[in-house]
Amino acid sequence: MIRGVTAGSIQIRRGASDDLPQIREFTHNTFSWGDYLPRAWNDWARSKRGALLVAEINHKIVGTIHVRYLEHREAWLEGVRVHQEYRQRGIASTLIQAAHADAKKKKCRVIRLETGAHNVAAQHAFKKLGYRRRAAYVVFKGAACAEETNQVRLAQARDLQVCWALWQQSWVRRASKTIVPAVYGWRWWELTRTRLANDIRGKRVWVAPRGFMILREMDRDFDVTLLVGTKRDAVKLLQAGRMLAQQRGREDIYWLAPAVAHSKEWADAAEYTLDDDGLLVYAREL
Ligand SMILES: CC(C)(COP(=O)(O)OP(=O)(O)OC[C@H]1O[C@@H](n2cnc3c(N)ncnc32)[C@H](O)[C@@H]1OP(=O)(O)O)[C@@H](O)C(=O)NCCC(=O)NCCS
């Protein structure tokens, strides 16, 4: 236990590529599965679309945070880590406040983050600094399969109006409070008509007569980030997702769904199983 650490003795500065060895040392066992931070570090250190900050005490790195600037003056907070021996000394709070100051300078109006439902420490730290829970998500997993699915096709520009109307009437919109997983990287953002139009243009949207889904393809994962429509067509789309996973050489497809009973019903009908029972999305005005 380190005694006597106060906010006054913590120095905050920009993180750099050179810091990676120290970061690797204290993040290798952040979670039961390790940590993705060392993999992301160099990109974050170089990026102009965000700020990477580290906290130091006596020139030793004891914590870090990354804030990413998205479009529409939204910011995304990620990679909040405090060295195990320096926790509960206000270091995360100092880093989060420094990230807020940075995002405000960039004229961001809102900042969001995702944390696990079991992460009590993180929830305490964020609530204390004015964050409120916006939405809860769960993740379902479907195995790739070769079955053909009829009546599902890639969306075209002319489908935008119908898709937008389906979204507006959807229980998913109410349950998510319009904050949905983004199509690039592990972050959430507000679904706007422009973003949906971009997804259609980017061939990420699949439609059934009364439903649509958005797909996200990343190095490690293949995800349904949004699924909207009647139960019948939503299930068809989820099944088509399993077929698309097979075509793209993936073992599984994941569906990030609002944590409500409807999602479970749809997942069961499409033979998807629960993979993660709690992702909480928090937000704070800046
Ligand atoms: C979550 C984490 C960043 C908090 O860092 P920290 O420097 O210990 O946080 P702070 O000292 O600034 O504490 C902020 C508030 O949270 C509370 N808190 C911190 N850890 C806590 C815990 N384990 N249990 C309950 N409350 C806790 C503090 O008491 C404080 O509230 P208070 O002022 O009312 O006392 C740190 O535990 C960590 O690195 N965890 C592993 C990585 C992680 O989970 N990151 C977040 C992913 S979203």
Side-chain angles (χ1 to χ4, degrees):
M1 192 72 69
I2 309 295
R3 300 272 163 214
V5 173
T6 61
S9 63
I10 304 169
Q11 301 292 323
I12 305 288
R13 64 161 172 84
R14 293 266 164 171
S17 296
D18 297 355
D19 298 325
L20 183 54
Q22 277 198 74
I23 297 299
R24 200 172 264 133
E25 204 183 297
F26 82 82
T27 60
H28 70 275
N29 60 356
T30 305
F31 302 110
S32 56
W33 47 269
D35 204 332
Y36 71 91
L37 220 83
R39 280 201 308 279
W41 191 261
N42 282 334
D43 281 349
W44 289 355
R46 279 189 226 113
S47 172
K48 299 263 179 290
R49 307 275 311 138
L52 178 61
L53 305 177
V54 296
E56 281 185 327
I57 292 175
N58 297 330
H59 305 292
K60 174 183 167 147
I61 298 179
V62 294
T64 181
I65 199 165
H66 183 240
V67 56
R68 188 185 286 272
Y69 322 127
L70 308 178
E71 309 142 24
H72 305 306
R73 298 173 54 214
E74 294 169 302
W76 181 253
L77 201 63
E78 58 198 347
V80 188
R81 305 287 183 268
V82 172
H83 192 299
Q84 266 175 1
E85 290 165 24
Y86 291 81
R87 288 182 188 168
Q88 293 189 265
R89 293 285 184 278
I91 293 171
S93 306
T94 307
L95 279 164
I96 296 165
Q97 283 165 313
H100 290 171
D102 194 273
K104 270 192 208 164
K105 257 193 247 152
K106 295 285 172 190
K107 308 261 182 282
C108 294
R109 62 183 166 82
V110 61
I111 186 159
R112 301 190 186 98
L113 62 97
E114 177 274 318
T115 187
H118 306 290
N119 197 338
V120 176
Q123 287 171 48
H124 263 274
F126 291 119
K127 277 186 201 156
K128 188 94 199 282
L129 291 172
Y131 284 79
R132 294 292 166 259
R133 190 201 290 193
R134 278 305 297 268
Y137 275 79
V138 289
V139 183
F140 294 102
K141 178 161 97 169
C145 76
E147 226 168 87
E148 281 294 319
T149 316
N150 294 324
Q151 297 182 300
V152 169
R153 61 171 173 81
L154 259 181
Q156 294 168 9
R158 63 181 157 78
D159 295 314
L160 176 62
Q161 190 136 344
V162 170
C163 290
W164 188 249
L166 283 168
W167 162 249
Q168 296 273 305
Q169 298 149 15
S170 163
W171 61 262
V172 183
R173 181 171 180 271
R174 289 190 297 278
S176 66
K177 301 202 185 75
T178 76
I179 307 302
V180 304
V183 286
Y184 307 108
W186 189 257
R187 44 195 173 268
W188 272 251
W189 64 16
E190 191 165 347
L191 186 68
T192 62
R193 205 182 154 103
T194 310
R195 282 179 170 152
L196 183 57
N198 285 342
D199 291 339
I200 291 178
R201 215 171 296 125
K203 302 197 186 317
R204 291 184 286 271
V205 182
W206 289 76
V207 290
R210 299 290 304 154
F212 74 92
M213 70 176 168
I214 303 181
L215 293 183
R216 168 170 79 186
E217 208 159 358
M218 300 203 287
D219 283 355
R220 289 169 178 250
D221 296 325
F222 184 45
D223 303 322
V224 177
T225 57
L226 182 65
L227 177 65
V228 164
T230 60
K231 179 177 174 184
R232 190 163 161 267
D233 282 1
V235 171
K236 252 188 237 163
L237 286 158
L238 283 175
Q239 285 163 339
R242 296 175 51 197
M243 181 195 73
L244 290 166
Q246 168 95 358
Q247 285 173 4
R248 291 166 199 207
R250 306 276 184 161
E251 278 179 24
D252 303 294
I253 181 161
Y254 296 87
W255 171 33
L256 281 72
V260 295
H262 277 308
S263 300
K264 167 110 178 51
E265 271 174 39
W266 290 8
D268 286 347
E271 293 177 54
Y272 279 51
T273 53
L274 190 66
D275 190 64
D276 189 332
D277 66 353
L279 307 176
L280 305 178
V281 180
Y282 281 82
R284 180 192 190 276
E285 306 297 317
L286 284 169

